Structures are given as structure tokens and as C-alpha cells.
Amino acid sequence: MSATMPSPVGPGIVSVPLSAHFPTRPGWQCEVCAQPWPCPTRQAEFTTAIDAGVGQGVALLLASSLGRASLDRPDIGADRLHEQFLGWINADLYSRMIGGRPASRVSA
Ligand SMILES: [Zn+2]
């Protein structure tokens, strides 16, 4: 099973292929490799998607997934869920995701 991630911004649509590393619910682990989702494979695919220009779509997907997971797993603390869904995003990747300049290239 595979899917693509269409651009949320309309014209200039970019589609990024995604593998079958989708989350299970309500556990929020990868259905392929059983690691906490997004697993390393999906993180790499999201990074590719961000660099292809659909970072805002990745951000929306992660935010909605985090919200859904907080409803599915009230037994897991918010800090742990935040770390699972967003902890792999460093400042440079975040800047690219939201369409800004990479943090390492920002000058004062
Ligand atoms: Zn996986």
C-alpha cells in the first residue's frame, strides 16, 4: 500500500510518494515496523516532503495526528506524545517546514 501527499496550497501541486508506514490506532505505532509513529522511515519521507515544498501539509498532518493521538491515548502524557510526534524535528527542519529560511542560515 502506498499513498501520495498532495500539496495543500493548490497550484503547483507536488505529490510525494509515501510508503506503507502508516500508524495503527489507537496505539500510534507503525503498522510496518512497529516503532512509535512517525517511525524513522516515515520521518525520512516527511523530510523529503518538506524539502519538496509540502512542509505545511506535513505540519498539518502531524498536528492533526497529535490531536487524534491525545484522544486515543489519554494514558500517555502530553509531553511524551509531543516528543513522539514532534521531537524529531530540529530547528533547521522546522524552518524549512514552515517555509522560512533554514535556522543555520539566518543571520542577525
Ligand atoms: Zn515504520
Side-chain angles (χ1 to χ4, degrees):
M1 185 173 160
S2 67
T4 59
M5 175 177 288
S7 167
V9 293
I13 287 178
V14 176
S15 291
V16 178
L18 295 176
S19 67
H21 290 252
F22 292 103
T24 60
R25 289 182 64 201
W28 288 93
Q29 293 181 315
C30 176
E31 65 182 24
V32 174
C33 61
Q35 297 186 61
W37 192 90
C39 67
T41 298
R42 184 60 95 223
Q43 290 173 15
E45 292 169 347
F46 281 161
T47 299
T48 299
I50 289 165
D51 288 334
V54 291
Q56 292 175 357
V58 172
L60 286 171
L61 192 152
L62 286 169
S64 65
S65 297
L66 177 56
R68 200 169 288 166
S70 70
L71 296 174
D72 286 348
R73 297 298 307 268
D75 56 311
I76 299 177
D79 287 352
R80 202 170 125 208
L81 283 176
H82 181 275
E83 178 63 27
Q84 176 177 335
F85 284 85
L86 305 175
W88 61 278
I89 301 170
N90 63 27
D92 182 63
L93 184 60
Y94 178 76
S95 293
R96 298 194 321 262
M97 183 166 62
I98 62 171
R101 292 182 297 170
S104 61
R105 295 184 193 157
V106 174
S107 58

Coordinates of all heavy atoms in Angstrom, one line a residue:
M1 N 0.8 -1.2 0.0 CA 0.0 0.0 0.0 C 0.9 1.2 0.0 O 1.9 1.3 0.7 CB -0.9 0.0 1.2 CG -1.9 1.1 1.3 SD -3.0 0.8 2.7 CE -3.6 2.4 2.9
S2 N 0.5 2.2 -0.8 CA 1.2 3.4 -0.8 C 0.2 4.6 -1.0 O -0.9 4.4 -1.3 CB 2.3 3.4 -1.9 OG 1.7 3.4 -3.2
A3 N 0.7 5.8 -0.8 CA -0.1 6.9 -1.0 C 0.8 8.1 -1.4 O 2.0 8.0 -1.3 CB -0.8 7.2 0.4
T4 N 0.1 9.2 -1.7 CA 0.9 10.4 -2.0 C 0.4 11.5 -1.1 O -0.7 11.4 -0.6 CB 0.8 10.8 -3.5 OG1 -0.6 11.0 -3.8 CG2 1.3 9.7 -4.4
M5 N 1.2 12.5 -0.9 CA 0.8 13.6 -0.1 C 0.7 14.8 -1.0 O 1.7 15.4 -1.5 CB 1.9 13.9 1.0 CG 1.6 15.1 1.7 SD 2.8 15.4 3.0 CE 2.3 14.1 4.2
P6 N -0.6 15.2 -1.4 CA -0.7 16.3 -2.3 C -0.4 17.6 -1.5 O -0.6 17.7 -0.3 CB -2.2 16.3 -2.6 CG -2.8 15.6 -1.5 CD -1.8 14.6 -1.0
S7 N 0.0 18.6 -2.3 CA 0.2 19.9 -1.7 C -1.1 20.5 -1.2 O -2.1 20.4 -1.9 CB 0.9 20.8 -2.7 OG 0.8 22.2 -2.3
P8 N -1.1 21.2 -0.1 CA -2.4 21.8 0.4 C -2.6 23.2 -0.2 O -3.6 23.8 0.0 CB -2.1 21.9 1.9 CG -0.7 22.1 2.0 CD -0.1 21.2 0.9
V9 N -1.7 23.6 -1.0 CA -1.7 25.0 -1.5 C -2.2 25.2 -2.9 O -2.2 26.3 -3.4 CB -0.3 25.7 -1.3 CG1 0.0 25.8 0.2 CG2 0.8 25.0 -2.1
G10 N -2.7 24.1 -3.5 CA -3.3 24.3 -4.8 C -2.3 24.3 -6.0 O -1.6 23.3 -6.2
P11 N -2.3 25.4 -6.8 CA -1.4 25.4 -8.0 C 0.0 25.0 -7.6 O 0.5 25.3 -6.5 CB -1.5 26.8 -8.4 CG -2.8 27.4 -7.9 CD -3.0 26.6 -6.6
G12 N 0.6 24.4 -8.6 CA 2.0 23.9 -8.3 C 2.0 22.7 -7.4 O 2.9 22.5 -6.6
I13 N 1.0 21.8 -7.6 CA 0.8 20.7 -6.7 C 2.1 19.8 -6.8 O 2.6 19.5 -7.9 CB -0.4 19.9 -7.1 CG1 -1.6 20.7 -6.7 CG2 -0.4 18.5 -6.5 CD1 -3.0 20.1 -7.0
V14 N 2.5 19.4 -5.7 CA 3.6 18.5 -5.5 C 3.1 17.2 -4.8 O 2.5 17.3 -3.8 CB 4.8 19.1 -4.6 CG1 5.9 18.1 -4.4 CG2 5.3 20.4 -5.3
S15 N 3.4 16.1 -5.4 CA 3.0 14.8 -4.8 C 4.2 14.1 -4.4 O 5.2 14.0 -5.1 CB 2.2 13.9 -5.7 OG 0.9 14.5 -6.0
V16 N 4.2 13.6 -3.1 CA 5.4 12.9 -2.6 C 4.9 11.5 -2.3 O 4.0 11.3 -1.5 CB 5.9 13.6 -1.3 CG1 7.1 12.8 -0.7 CG2 6.3 15.0 -1.7
P17 N 5.6 10.5 -2.8 CA 5.2 9.1 -2.5 C 5.4 8.8 -1.1 O 6.5 9.1 -0.5 CB 6.0 8.3 -3.5 CG 7.2 9.1 -3.8 CD 6.7 10.6 -3.7
L18 N 4.5 8.1 -0.5 CA 4.7 7.6 0.9 C 4.6 6.1 0.9 O 3.8 5.5 0.2 CB 3.6 8.2 1.8 CG 3.5 9.7 2.0 CD1 2.3 10.1 2.9 CD2 4.8 10.2 2.7
S19 N 5.4 5.5 1.7 CA 5.4 4.0 1.8 C 4.2 3.6 2.7 O 3.4 4.4 3.1 CB 6.7 3.5 2.4 OG 6.8 4.0 3.8
A20 N 4.2 2.4 3.1 CA 3.1 1.8 3.9 C 3.3 2.0 5.4 O 2.6 1.4 6.2 CB 2.9 0.3 3.6
H21 N 4.2 2.9 5.8 CA 4.5 3.1 7.2 C 3.4 4.0 7.8 O 3.7 5.1 8.3 CB 5.9 3.6 7.4 CG 6.9 2.6 7.1 ND1 7.7 2.0 8.1 CD2 7.3 2.1 5.9 CE1 8.5 1.1 7.5 NE2 8.3 1.2 6.2
F22 N 2.2 3.5 7.9 CA 1.1 4.3 8.5 C 0.9 3.9 9.9 O 1.3 2.8 10.3 CB -0.2 4.0 7.7 CG -0.2 4.5 6.3 CD1 0.0 3.7 5.2 CD2 -0.4 5.9 6.1 CE1 0.0 4.2 3.9 CE2 -0.4 6.4 4.8 CZ -0.2 5.6 3.7
P23 N 0.3 4.8 10.7 CA 0.1 4.5 12.1 C -1.1 3.5 12.4 O -2.0 3.6 11.6 CB -0.2 5.9 12.7 CG -0.8 6.6 11.6 CD -0.2 6.1 10.4
T24 N -0.9 2.7 13.4 CA -2.1 2.0 13.9 C -2.8 2.8 14.9 O -2.2 3.7 15.5 CB -1.6 0.7 14.5 OG1 -0.8 1.0 15.6 CG2 -0.9 -0.2 13.5
R25 N -4.0 2.6 15.1 CA -4.8 3.3 16.1 C -5.5 2.2 16.9 O -5.9 1.2 16.4 CB -5.8 4.3 15.5 CG -5.1 5.5 14.9 CD -6.1 6.4 14.3 NE -6.9 7.0 15.4 CZ -8.2 7.6 15.2 NH1 -8.7 7.6 14.0 NH2 -8.8 8.0 16.2
P26 N -5.6 2.4 18.2 CA -5.2 3.6 19.0 C -3.8 3.6 19.5 O -3.4 4.5 20.2 CB -6.2 3.6 20.2 CG -6.4 2.1 20.4 CD -6.3 1.4 19.1
G27 N -3.0 2.6 19.1 CA -1.6 2.5 19.7 C -0.6 3.5 19.1 O 0.3 3.9 19.8
W28 N -0.9 4.1 17.9 CA 0.0 5.0 17.3 C 1.4 4.5 17.2 O 2.4 5.1 17.5 CB 0.0 6.4 18.0 CG -1.3 7.0 17.6 CD1 -2.5 6.9 18.4 CD2 -1.7 7.8 16.5 NE1 -3.5 7.6 17.7 CE2 -3.0 8.1 16.6 CE3 -1.0 8.2 15.3 CZ2 -3.7 8.8 15.6 CZ3 -1.6 8.9 14.4 CH2 -3.0 9.2 14.5
Q29 N 1.5 3.2 16.7 CA 2.8 2.6 16.3 C 2.7 2.4 14.8 O 1.6 2.2 14.2 CB 3.0 1.3 17.0 CG 3.2 1.6 18.5 CD 3.5 0.3 19.3 OE1 2.8 -0.7 19.0 NE2 4.5 0.3 20.1
C30 N 3.9 2.3 14.2 CA 3.9 2.0 12.7 C 3.4 0.6 12.5 O 3.8 -0.4 13.1 CB 5.3 2.1 12.2 SG 5.5 1.7 10.5
E31 N 2.5 0.5 11.4 CA 2.0 -0.9 11.1 C 3.0 -1.7 10.4 O 2.7 -2.9 10.3 CB 0.7 -0.7 10.4 CG 0.8 -0.1 9.0 CD -0.6 0.0 8.3 OE1 -1.6 0.1 9.0 OE2 -0.6 0.0 7.1
V32 N 4.1 -1.2 9.9 CA 5.1 -2.0 9.3 C 6.2 -2.4 10.2 O 6.6 -3.5 10.4 CB 5.7 -1.2 8.0 CG1 6.8 -2.0 7.4 CG2 4.6 -1.0 7.0
C33 N 6.8 -1.4 10.9 CA 8.0 -1.7 11.7 C 7.7 -1.6 13.2 O 8.6 -1.9 14.0 CB 9.1 -0.7 11.3 SG 8.8 1.0 11.6
A34 N 6.5 -1.3 13.6 CA 6.0 -1.4 15.0 C 6.7 -0.4 15.9 O 6.7 -0.5 17.1 CB 6.1 -2.8 15.5
Q35 N 7.4 0.6 15.4 CA 8.0 1.6 16.2 C 7.0 2.7 16.4 O 6.0 2.9 15.7 CB 9.3 2.2 15.5 CG 10.3 1.1 15.3 CD 11.6 1.7 14.8 OE1 12.2 2.6 15.4 NE2 12.0 1.3 13.6
P36 N 7.2 3.6 17.4 CA 6.3 4.7 17.6 C 6.2 5.5 16.3 O 7.3 5.8 15.7 CB 7.0 5.5 18.8 CG 7.7 4.5 19.5 CD 8.3 3.5 18.5
W37 N 5.0 5.9 16.0 CA 4.8 6.7 14.7 C 4.9 8.2 15.0 O 4.3 8.6 16.0 CB 3.4 6.3 14.2 CG 3.3 6.8 12.8 CD1 3.6 6.1 11.6 CD2 2.7 8.0 12.3 NE1 3.3 6.9 10.5 CE2 2.8 8.1 10.9 CE3 2.3 9.2 13.0 CZ2 2.3 9.2 10.2 CZ3 1.8 10.2 12.3 CH2 1.9 10.3 10.9
P38 N 5.5 9.0 14.1 CA 6.1 8.6 12.9 C 7.5 7.9 13.1 O 8.3 8.4 13.7 CB 6.3 9.9 12.1 CG 6.4 10.9 13.2 CD 5.5 10.4 14.3
C39 N 7.6 6.7 12.5 CA 8.8 5.9 12.6 C 9.9 6.5 11.8 O 9.7 7.5 11.1 CB 8.5 4.5 12.1 SG 8.2 4.4 10.3
P40 N 11.2 6.1 12.0 CA 12.3 6.7 11.2 C 12.0 6.7 9.7 O 12.4 7.7 9.0 CB 13.5 5.8 11.6 CG 13.1 5.3 13.0 CD 11.6 5.1 13.0
T41 N 11.4 5.7 9.2 CA 11.1 5.7 7.7 C 10.2 6.8 7.3 O 10.4 7.5 6.4 CB 10.5 4.3 7.3 OG1 11.5 3.3 7.5 CG2 10.2 4.3 5.8
R42 N 9.1 6.9 8.1 CA 8.2 8.0 7.8 C 8.8 9.4 8.1 O 8.5 10.3 7.3 CB 6.9 7.8 8.7 CG 5.8 8.9 8.3 CD 5.4 8.8 6.8 NE 4.2 8.0 6.7 CZ 4.0 7.1 5.7 NH1 4.9 6.9 4.8 NH2 2.9 6.3 5.7
Q43 N 9.6 9.5 9.1 CA 10.3 10.8 9.3 C 11.1 11.1 8.1 O 11.2 12.3 7.7 CB 11.2 10.7 10.6 CG 10.4 10.6 11.9 CD 11.3 10.3 13.1 OE1 12.5 10.4 13.0 NE2 10.7 9.9 14.2
A44 N 11.8 10.2 7.6 CA 12.6 10.4 6.4 C 11.8 10.9 5.2 O 12.1 11.8 4.4 CB 13.5 9.2 6.0
E45 N 10.6 10.2 5.1 CA 9.7 10.6 4.0 C 9.1 12.0 4.2 O 8.9 12.7 3.3 CB 8.6 9.5 3.9 CG 9.1 8.2 3.4 CD 8.1 7.1 3.5 OE1 7.0 7.2 4.2 OE2 8.3 6.0 2.9
F46 N 8.8 12.3 5.5 CA 8.3 13.6 5.8 C 9.4 14.7 5.5 O 9.1 15.8 5.0 CB 7.9 13.7 7.2 CG 6.5 13.1 7.5 CD1 6.2 12.8 8.8 CD2 5.6 12.9 6.5 CE1 4.9 12.2 9.1 CE2 4.3 12.4 6.8 CZ 4.0 12.1 8.1
T47 N 10.6 14.3 5.8 CA 11.7 15.3 5.5 C 11.8 15.5 4.0 O 12.0 16.6 3.5 CB 13.0 14.7 6.0 OG1 12.9 14.6 7.5 CG2 14.2 15.7 5.7
T48 N 11.7 14.4 3.2 CA 11.7 14.6 1.7 C 10.5 15.4 1.3 O 10.7 16.3 0.4 CB 11.6 13.2 1.1 OG1 12.8 12.4 1.5 CG2 11.6 13.3 -0.4
A49 N 9.4 15.2 1.9 CA 8.2 16.0 1.5 C 8.4 17.5 1.9 O 8.0 18.4 1.1 CB 7.0 15.5 2.3
I50 N 9.0 17.7 3.0 CA 9.3 19.1 3.4 C 10.2 19.8 2.4 O 9.9 20.9 2.0 CB 9.9 19.1 4.8 CG1 8.8 18.8 5.9 CG2 10.5 20.5 5.2 CD1 9.3 18.4 7.3
D51 N 11.2 19.1 2.0 CA 12.2 19.6 1.1 C 11.6 19.7 -0.3 O 12.1 20.5 -1.2 CB 13.5 18.8 1.1 CG 14.3 19.0 2.3 OD1 14.1 20.1 3.0 OD2 15.0 18.2 2.7
A52 N 10.5 19.0 -0.6 CA 9.8 19.1 -1.9 C 8.8 20.2 -1.9 O 8.1 20.5 -2.9 CB 9.1 17.8 -2.2
G53 N 8.6 20.9 -0.8 CA 7.8 22.1 -0.7 C 6.4 21.9 -0.1 O 5.5 22.7 -0.2
V54 N 6.2 20.7 0.5 CA 4.8 20.5 1.1 C 5.0 20.4 2.7 O 4.3 19.7 3.3 CB 4.1 19.2 0.6 CG1 3.7 19.5 -0.9 CG2 5.0 18.0 0.7
G55 N 5.9 21.2 3.2 CA 6.1 21.2 4.6 C 4.9 21.6 5.4 O 4.6 21.1 6.5
Q56 N 4.1 22.5 4.9 CA 2.9 22.9 5.6 C 1.9 21.8 5.7 O 1.1 21.6 6.7 CB 2.2 24.2 5.0 CG 3.2 25.4 5.2 CD 2.7 26.6 4.5 OE1 1.6 26.6 3.8 NE2 3.4 27.7 4.7
G57 N 1.8 20.9 4.7 CA 1.0 19.8 4.7 C 1.5 18.8 5.7 O 0.7 18.2 6.4
V58 N 2.8 18.6 5.8 CA 3.3 17.7 6.9 C 3.0 18.3 8.2 O 2.6 17.5 9.1 CB 4.9 17.6 6.7 CG1 5.5 16.8 7.9 CG2 5.2 16.9 5.4
A59 N 3.1 19.6 8.4 CA 2.8 20.2 9.7 C 1.3 19.9 10.1 O 1.0 19.6 11.2 CB 3.1 21.7 9.7
L60 N 0.4 20.1 9.1 CA -1.0 19.9 9.4 C -1.2 18.4 9.7 O -2.0 18.1 10.7 CB -1.8 20.3 8.2 CG -2.0 21.8 8.0 CD1 -2.7 22.1 6.7 CD2 -2.8 22.4 9.1
L61 N -0.6 17.5 9.0 CA -0.8 16.1 9.2 C -0.3 15.7 10.6 O -1.0 15.0 11.4 CB -0.1 15.3 8.2 CG -0.4 13.8 8.1 CD1 -0.3 13.3 6.7 CD2 0.4 13.0 9.0
L62 N 0.9 16.2 11.0 CA 1.4 15.9 12.3 C 0.6 16.5 13.4 O 0.3 15.9 14.5 CB 2.9 16.4 12.4 CG 3.9 15.6 11.7 CD1 5.2 16.3 11.6 CD2 4.1 14.2 12.3
A63 N 0.1 17.7 13.2 CA -0.7 18.4 14.3 C -2.0 17.6 14.5 O -2.5 17.4 15.6 CB -1.0 19.8 13.9
S64 N -2.7 17.3 13.3 CA -3.9 16.5 13.5 C -3.7 15.1 14.1 O -4.5 14.7 14.8 CB -4.7 16.5 12.1 OG -3.9 15.7 11.2
S65 N -2.6 14.5 13.7 CA -2.3 13.2 14.2 C -2.0 13.3 15.7 O -2.5 12.4 16.5 CB -1.1 12.6 13.5 OG -1.4 12.4 12.2
L66 N -1.3 14.3 16.2 CA -1.0 14.5 17.6 C -2.3 14.7 18.4 O -2.5 14.2 19.4 CB -0.1 15.7 17.8 CG 0.3 16.1 19.2 CD1 0.8 14.9 20.0 CD2 1.2 17.3 19.2
G67 N -3.2 15.5 17.8 CA -4.5 15.7 18.4 C -5.3 14.5 18.6 O -5.9 14.2 19.6
R68 N -5.3 13.7 17.5 CA -6.1 12.4 17.5 C -5.4 11.5 18.5 O -6.2 10.8 19.2 CB -6.0 11.8 16.1 CG -7.1 10.8 15.8 CD -7.2 10.5 14.3 NE -7.8 11.7 13.6 CZ -7.7 11.8 12.3 NH1 -7.1 10.9 11.5 NH2 -8.3 12.8 11.7
A69 N -4.1 11.4 18.5 CA -3.4 10.5 19.5 C -3.7 10.9 20.9 O -3.9 10.0 21.8 CB -1.9 10.5 19.2
S70 N -3.9 12.2 21.2 CA -4.1 12.6 22.6 C -5.5 12.2 23.0 O -5.8 11.9 24.2 CB -4.0 14.1 22.7 OG -5.0 14.8 22.0
L71 N -6.4 12.0 22.0 CA -7.8 11.5 22.3 C -7.7 10.0 22.4 O -8.4 9.4 23.3 CB -8.8 11.9 21.2 CG -9.0 13.4 21.1 CD1 -9.9 13.7 19.9 CD2 -9.6 14.0 22.4
D72 N -7.0 9.3 21.6 CA -6.9 7.9 21.6 C -6.1 7.4 22.8 O -6.4 6.3 23.3 CB -6.1 7.4 20.4 CG -6.9 7.4 19.1 OD1 -8.1 7.7 19.1 OD2 -6.3 7.3 18.0
R73 N -5.1 8.1 23.3 CA -4.3 7.7 24.3 C -4.2 8.7 25.5 O -3.1 9.2 25.8 CB -2.9 7.4 23.8 CG -2.8 6.3 22.7 CD -3.2 4.9 23.3 NE -2.5 4.5 24.5 CZ -1.4 3.8 24.5 NH1 -0.9 3.4 23.3 NH2 -0.8 3.5 25.6
P74 N -5.3 8.9 26.2 CA -5.2 9.8 27.3 C -4.3 9.3 28.4 O -3.9 10.1 29.3 CB -6.7 9.9 27.8 CG -7.3 8.6 27.3 CD -6.6 8.3 26.0
D75 N -3.9 8.0 28.4 CA -3.0 7.5 29.4 C -1.5 7.9 29.1 O -0.7 7.7 30.0 CB -3.1 5.9 29.3 CG -2.8 5.4 28.0 OD1 -3.3 5.8 27.0 OD2 -1.9 4.4 27.9
I76 N -1.3 8.4 27.9 CA 0.1 8.9 27.6 C 0.1 10.4 27.9 O -0.7 11.1 27.4 CB 0.5 8.6 26.2 CG1 0.5 7.1 26.0 CG2 1.9 9.2 25.9 CD1 0.8 6.6 24.5
G77 N 1.1 10.8 28.6 CA 1.2 12.3 28.9 C 1.4 13.1 27.7 O 2.0 12.6 26.7
A78 N 1.0 14.4 27.7 CA 1.2 15.3 26.6 C 2.7 15.5 26.2 O 3.0 15.6 25.1 CB 0.6 16.6 26.9
D79 N 3.5 15.5 27.2 CA 5.0 15.6 26.9 C 5.5 14.5 26.1 O 6.2 14.7 25.2 CB 5.8 15.7 28.2 CG 5.6 17.1 28.9 OD1 4.9 18.0 28.4 OD2 6.1 17.2 30.1
R80 N 5.1 13.3 26.5 CA 5.5 12.1 25.7 C 5.0 12.1 24.3 O 5.7 11.7 23.4 CB 5.2 10.8 26.5 CG 6.1 9.7 26.1 CD 5.8 8.5 27.1 NE 5.5 7.3 26.3 CZ 4.8 6.3 26.7 NH1 4.3 6.3 27.9 NH2 4.5 5.3 25.9
L81 N 3.7 12.4 24.2 CA 3.1 12.4 22.8 C 3.8 13.5 22.0 O 4.1 13.3 20.8 CB 1.6 12.7 22.9 CG 0.8 11.5 23.3 CD1 -0.7 11.9 23.4 CD2 0.9 10.4 22.3
H82 N 4.0 14.7 22.6 CA 4.7 15.8 21.8 C 6.1 15.3 21.4 O 6.5 15.5 20.2 CB 4.8 17.0 22.7 CG 5.5 18.2 22.1 ND1 6.8 18.3 22.0 CD2 4.9 19.2 21.4 CE1 7.1 19.4 21.4 NE2 6.0 20.0 21.0
E83 N 6.8 14.6 22.2 CA 8.1 14.1 21.9 C 8.0 13.1 20.7 O 8.8 13.1 19.8 CB 8.8 13.5 23.1 CG 10.2 12.9 22.8 CD 11.2 13.9 22.3 OE1 11.1 15.1 22.7 OE2 12.1 13.6 21.6
Q84 N 7.0 12.2 20.8 CA 6.9 11.2 19.8 C 6.6 11.8 18.4 O 7.2 11.4 17.4 CB 5.8 10.2 20.2 CG 5.5 9.1 19.1 CD 4.4 8.1 19.5 OE1 4.2 7.9 20.7 NE2 3.7 7.6 18.6
F85 N 5.7 12.7 18.4 CA 5.2 13.3 17.1 C 6.1 14.4 16.5 O 6.3 14.5 15.3 CB 3.8 13.8 17.2 CG 2.8 12.6 17.2 CD1 2.5 12.0 18.4 CD2 2.2 12.2 16.0 CE1 1.6 10.9 18.4 CE2 1.3 11.2 16.0 CZ 1.0 10.5 17.2
L86 N 6.7 15.2 17.5 CA 7.4 16.4 17.0 C 8.9 16.4 17.4 O 9.6 17.3 17.0 CB 6.7 17.6 17.5 CG 5.2 17.7 17.1 CD1 4.6 19.0 17.8 CD2 5.0 17.8 15.6
G87 N 9.3 15.5 18.3 CA 10.6 15.6 18.9 C 11.7 15.4 17.9 O 12.9 15.8 18.1
W88 N 11.4 14.8 16.7 CA 12.4 14.5 15.7 C 12.7 15.7 14.8 O 13.6 15.7 14.0 CB 12.0 13.3 14.9 CG 10.7 13.5 14.1 CD1 9.5 13.4 14.6 CD2 10.6 13.9 12.8 NE1 8.5 13.7 13.7 CE2 9.2 14.0 12.5 CE3 11.4 14.3 11.8 CZ2 8.7 14.4 11.3 CZ3 10.9 14.7 10.5 CH2 9.5 14.7 10.3
I89 N 11.9 16.8 15.0 CA 12.0 18.0 14.1 C 13.0 19.0 14.8 O 12.6 19.6 15.8 CB 10.6 18.6 13.9 CG1 9.7 17.5 13.2 CG2 10.8 19.8 13.0 CD1 8.3 18.0 13.2
N90 N 14.1 19.1 14.2 CA 15.1 20.1 14.7 C 14.7 21.5 14.2 O 13.9 21.7 13.3 CB 16.5 19.7 14.5 CG 16.8 19.7 13.0 OD1 16.3 20.4 12.2 ND2 17.8 18.8 12.7
A91 N 15.4 22.5 14.7 CA 15.1 23.9 14.3 C 15.3 24.1 12.8 O 14.5 24.9 12.2 CB 16.0 24.9 15.1
D92 N 16.3 23.5 12.2 CA 16.5 23.7 10.7 C 15.4 23.1 9.9 O 14.8 23.7 9.0 CB 17.8 23.1 10.4 CG 18.2 23.3 8.9 OD1 18.3 24.4 8.5 OD2 18.2 22.2 8.2
L93 N 15.0 21.9 10.3 CA 13.9 21.3 9.6 C 12.6 22.0 9.8 O 11.8 22.2 8.9 CB 13.7 19.8 10.0 CG 12.7 19.0 9.3 CD1 13.0 18.9 7.8 CD2 12.6 17.6 9.9
Y94 N 12.4 22.5 11.0 CA 11.2 23.3 11.3 C 11.1 24.5 10.4 O 10.0 24.9 9.8 CB 11.1 23.7 12.8 CG 9.9 24.5 13.1 CD1 8.7 24.0 13.3 CD2 10.1 25.9 13.3 CE1 7.6 24.8 13.5 CE2 9.0 26.7 13.6 CZ 7.7 26.1 13.7 OH 6.6 26.9 14.0
S95 N 12.2 25.2 10.3 CA 12.3 26.4 9.4 C 11.9 26.0 8.0 O 11.1 26.8 7.3 CB 13.6 27.0 9.4 OG 13.9 27.6 10.7
R96 N 12.4 24.9 7.5 CA 12.1 24.5 6.1 C 10.6 24.1 6.0 O 10.0 24.3 5.0 CB 13.0 23.4 5.7 CG 14.5 23.8 5.6 CD 15.4 22.8 4.9 NE 15.2 21.4 5.0 CZ 15.9 20.6 5.9 NH1 16.8 21.1 6.7 NH2 15.6 19.3 5.9
M97 N 10.1 23.5 7.1 CA 8.7 23.0 7.1 C 7.7 24.2 7.0 O 6.7 24.1 6.3 CB 8.4 22.2 8.4 CG 7.1 21.6 8.4 SD 6.9 20.4 9.7 CE 7.2 21.3 11.2
I98 N 8.0 25.3 7.7 CA 7.0 26.4 7.6 C 7.4 27.4 6.5 O 6.7 28.4 6.4 CB 7.0 27.1 9.0 CG1 8.3 27.7 9.4 CG2 6.5 26.1 10.1 CD1 8.2 28.6 10.6
G99 N 8.3 27.1 5.7 CA 8.6 27.9 4.6 C 9.6 29.0 4.8 O 9.8 29.8 3.9
G100 N 10.2 29.0 5.9 CA 11.2 30.0 6.2 C 12.6 29.6 5.8 O 12.8 28.5 5.2
R101 N 13.6 30.4 6.1 CA 14.9 30.0 5.8 C 15.4 29.0 6.9 O 15.0 29.1 8.0 CB 15.8 31.3 5.8 CG 15.5 32.2 4.7 CD 16.4 33.4 4.7 NE 16.2 34.2 6.0 CZ 17.0 35.2 6.4 NH1 18.1 35.5 5.7 NH2 16.7 35.8 7.5
P102 N 16.4 28.2 6.5 CA 16.9 27.3 7.5 C 17.5 28.1 8.6 O 18.2 29.1 8.4 CB 18.0 26.5 6.7 CG 17.6 26.6 5.3 CD 16.9 28.0 5.2
A103 N 17.4 27.6 9.9 CA 17.8 28.3 11.0 C 19.3 28.5 11.0 O 19.8 29.6 11.4 CB 17.5 27.5 12.3
S104 N 20.1 27.6 10.4 CA 21.5 27.7 10.4 C 22.0 28.8 9.4 O 23.1 29.2 9.5 CB 22.2 26.4 10.0 OG 21.7 26.0 8.7
R105 N 21.1 29.3 8.6 CA 21.5 30.3 7.6 C 20.9 31.7 8.0 O 21.1 32.6 7.3 CB 21.0 29.9 6.2 CG 21.7 28.7 5.7 CD 21.2 28.3 4.3 NE 21.7 27.0 4.0 CZ 21.1 26.3 3.0 NH1 20.2 26.7 2.3 NH2 21.6 25.0 2.8
V106 N 20.2 31.7 9.1 CA 19.6 33.0 9.5 C 20.7 33.8 10.2 O 21.4 33.4 11.1 CB 18.5 32.8 10.5 CG1 18.0 34.1 11.0 CG2 17.3 32.1 9.8
S107 N 20.9 35.0 9.7 CA 21.9 35.9 10.3 C 21.2 37.0 11.1 O 20.1 37.4 10.8 CB 22.8 36.5 9.3 OG 22.1 37.2 8.3
A108 N 22.0 37.5 12.1 CA 21.4 38.5 13.0 C 21.3 39.9 12.3 O 22.1 40.1 11.4 CB 22.2 38.6 14.2
Ligands
ZN1 ZN 7.7 2.2 10.1

